[in-house]
Amino acid sequence: MILGIGTDLANIERIQGTLDRFGDRFRSRVFTDREMAKAARRRDEAGTLAKRWAAKEACSKALGTGLAMGISWRDMAVSNLRTGQPVMEVTGWAKDRLDEMTPAGHEAVIHVTLTDDHPWAQAFVVIEARPV
């Protein structure tokens, strides 16, 4: 069963401008160490971070809260499987919210997909409850 869906569109040039203006202060407020390390290895750091920004926004929407209701940016983290498939991990308040919305006898699975076509980065998140 679907528990939540969310999508977001981020402007890569806007993220680049924020990086230029605030640098590490912005990076460390929004992204995990692992996300920052991955982006630093990429040719298009801003594009990589913009996709993750969009994924965090989309995840907060799928959780039914948005970012205004206590979820920290760093409570949601995007990484990639060896195949390249993106995965979302939640901790802290986001994990508490996910547990709260997951019916008894089910496990929550977060599906995430990312794409970009300069100057846009997009993410789509679906939270599924699967019977255990």
Side-chain angles (χ1 to χ4, degrees), residues 75-89:
D75 284 349
M76 299 166 287
V78 177
S79 61
N80 297 85
L81 300 177
R82 290 183 149 211
T83 61
Q85 176 185 347
V87 293
M88 175 73 69
E89 178 185 353

Side-chain angles (χ1 to χ4, degrees), residues 5-111:
I5 59 170
T7 189
D8 193 66
L9 185 65
N11 186 290
I12 297 168
E13 292 170 359
R14 181 174 168 239
I15 296 297
Q16 182 63 62
T18 303
L19 288 168
D20 293 343
R21 188 167 174 203
F22 298 105
D24 287 340
R25 185 172 151 212
F26 169 67
R27 284 180 189 90
S28 62
R29 182 176 153 254
V30 176
F31 303 101
T32 65
D33 292 341
R34 188 172 180 181
E35 289 172 318
M36 288 186 284
K38 179 173 183 75
R41 292 190 306 267
R42 304 300 284 264
R43 182 172 38 94
D44 181 13
E45 178 190 19
T48 299
L49 294 177
K51 285 186 279 190
R52 278 145 181 77
W53 170 283
K56 292 167 187 265
E57 286 274 9
C59 184
S60 72
K61 293 171 186 175
L63 289 168
T65 62
L67 284 157
M69 295 182 63
I71 294 178
S72 166
W73 286 102
R74 293 173 55 101
D75 284 349
M76 299 166 287
V78 177
S79 61
N80 297 85
L81 300 177
R82 290 183 149 211
T83 61
Q85 176 185 347
V87 293
M88 175 73 69
E89 178 185 353
V90 293
T91 58
W93 197 91
K95 174 73 168 119
D96 293 344
R97 172 67 182 143
L98 181 64
D99 291 344
E100 175 186 299
M101 63 191 286
T102 304
H106 290 74
E107 64 177 348
V109 179
I110 302 174
H111 304 277

Side-chain angles (χ1 to χ4, degrees), residues 107-123:
E107 64 177 348
V109 179
I110 302 174
H111 304 277
V112 60
T113 186
L114 308 171
T115 191
D116 65 288
D117 187 8
H118 196 85
W120 301 107
Q122 183 178 24

